[in-house]
């Protein structure tokens, strides 16, 4: 039985993905800060005949992530699939950016991923096998007004994962970047913007599991948003600024903030 560790598995995409992998015969370690949610889910999965473990950890803390990986390896042996999914966003114009909040978003979204990578890298390199996955976002593919820090954190993830994918292939390690569009989760429930083509977390779990298990380089979804973002990436800067600027001025222009 193969072992997966998923951060941010207490709710949303991470939880749906943990359930999906468990249903496909994987041993899943669910990591997040809210132990009670993780333990309730592990009890439900175990009752359904799956193999699961709860690992409390804050991905912002490198030592805590290393300890979580060590805990899983001690119980089940090497981790075959490590998924850095924990993340957060705080939609806000840059005129109102608080450095302390921006640093925290980078710490959880980007450094949180590196903390996991650093912890699983030795055993994956030693075995010449394994898969490392980062859940970034379609929002990382261009700088999005109102989400500058979030976009930047996801773009940093994408750049790291792309470079790592090329470097690690000769070492037998597969790297996959997951770029969701809108998925209904507690994260999007907190955000009041319109969310075109939003899908359920359960559907996202199936799409992401399929892409990961195929060994895809990237998993971009839902398809309409992913296709739109492919097109938007090709726009010259002047056109991107013009089109996106129309909407952005309504939210972030002079006189729009306190
Ligand atoms: N939903 C979307 O539309 C969407 C779109 C693009 C990308 N994404 C990305 O998908 C990932 C999952 O998001 P989601 O929508 O499923 O949101 P969510 O339901 O809010 O889940 C976020 C998860 O991250 C965990 N988490 C947050 N901070 C953490 C920390 N410091 N240490 C450990 N765990 C932490 C949370 O658990 P605890 O609070 O228990 O720690 C929770 O399990 C994120 O990286 C997000 O940026 C989501």
């Amino acid at each position: 039985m193969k072992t997966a560790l998923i951060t941010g598995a207490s709710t949303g995409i991470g939880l749906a993905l943990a359930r999906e992998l468990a249903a496909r015969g994987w041993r899943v370690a669910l990591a997040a800060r809210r132990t009670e949610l993780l333990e309730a889910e592990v009890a439900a999965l175990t009752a359904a005949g799956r193999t699961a473990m709860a690992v409390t950890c804050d991905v912002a803390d490198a030592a805590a992530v290393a300890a979580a990986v060590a805990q899983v390896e001690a119980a089940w042996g090497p981790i075959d699939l490590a998924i850095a999914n924990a993340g957060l966003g705080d939609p806000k114009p840059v005129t109102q950016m608080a450095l302390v909040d921006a640093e925290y978003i980078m710490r959880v979204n980007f450094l949180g991923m590196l903390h996991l990578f650093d912890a699983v890298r030795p055993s994956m390199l030693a075995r010449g096998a394994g898969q490392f996955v980062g859940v970034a976002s379609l929002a990382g593919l261009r700088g999005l007004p109102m989400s500058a820090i979030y976009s930047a954190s996801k773009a940093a993830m994408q750049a790291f994962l792309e470079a790592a994918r090329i470097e690690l292939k000769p070492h037998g390690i597969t790297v996959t970047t997951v770029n969701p569009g809108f998925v209904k989760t507690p994260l999007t429930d907190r955000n009041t913007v319109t969310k075109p083509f939003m899908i359920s977390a359960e559907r996202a779990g199936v799409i992401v599991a399929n892409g990961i298990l195929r060994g895809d380089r990237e998993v971009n979804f839902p398809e309409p948003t992913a296709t739109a973002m492919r097109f938007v990436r090709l726009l010259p800067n002047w056109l991107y600024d013009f089109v996106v600027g129309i909407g952005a001025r309504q939210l972030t222009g002079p006189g729009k903030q306190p």
Side-chain angles (χ1 to χ4, degrees):
M1 195 181 246
K2 287 192 165 187
T3 297
L5 183 153
I6 308 170
T7 67
S10 59
T11 59
I13 297 170
L15 173 59
L17 184 54
R19 287 176 177 165
E20 188 59 32
L21 290 173
R24 296 184 193 203
W26 284 71
R27 238 174 350 206
V28 285
L30 290 80
R33 292 164 302 175
R34 285 170 290 175
T35 312
E36 66 290 355
L37 291 183
L38 298 176
E39 284 180 348
E41 183 59 27
V42 166
L45 286 169
T46 307
R50 322 286 191 220
T51 309
M53 171 196 304
V55 199
T56 306
C57 101
D58 184 340
V59 299
D61 177 350
V65 178
V69 166
Q71 187 186 334
V72 176
E73 288 180 339
W76 290 342
I79 292 166
D80 301 285
L81 171 60
I83 304 173
N85 164 77
L88 77 159
D90 181 21
K92 210 171 253 177
V94 290
T95 51
Q96 292 176 24
M97 185 190 83
L99 201 51
V100 64
D101 297 339
E103 282 180 356
Y104 186 66
I105 290 172
M106 291 303 289
R107 174 159 286 280
V108 173
N109 293 5
F110 179 56
L111 292 179
M113 176 187 73
L114 295 192
H115 296 157
L116 181 63
F117 178 71
D118 192 56
V120 296
R121 180 182 48 173
S123 83
M124 287 191 180
L125 282 175
R127 289 180 303 124
Q131 185 170 6
F132 187 80
V133 178
V135 180
S137 171
L138 292 175
L141 298 176
R142 282 212 84 152
L144 291 187
M146 287 295 288
S147 292
I149 306 304
Y150 182 73
S151 261
S153 73
K154 297 302 184 175
M157 291 179 73
Q158 286 157 348
F160 173 84
L161 291 163
E162 184 166 66
R165 182 178 79 221
I166 297 165
E167 280 191 36
L168 293 173
K169 191 172 180 206
H171 294 276
I173 301 168
T174 304
V175 176
T176 299
T177 307
V178 175
N179 291 322
F182 288 116
V183 178
K184 184 162 172 41
T185 67
L187 185 147
T188 42
D189 288 346
R190 284 191 293 271
N191 187 340
T192 54
V193 301
T194 48
K195 298 151 196 150
F197 306 113
M198 186 156 73
I199 61 170
S200 69
E202 292 69 28
R203 180 79 198 118
V206 172
I207 293 169
V208 175
N210 287 343
I212 289 175
L213 299 183
R214 276 194 306 263
D216 288 356
R217 290 179 178 84
E218 287 186 11
V219 185
N220 300 302
F221 68 97
E223 197 45 53
T225 326
T227 303
M229 276 314 284
R230 265 179 224 115
F231 172 73
V232 167
R233 270 188 110 174
L234 299 174
L235 291 179
N237 288 341
W238 67 266
L239 187 53
Y240 181 72
D241 291 6
F242 177 73
V243 174
V244 177
I246 294 169
R249 268 190 297 278
Q250 305 301 316
L251 298 166
T252 66
K256 298 292 177 190
Q257 307 104 47

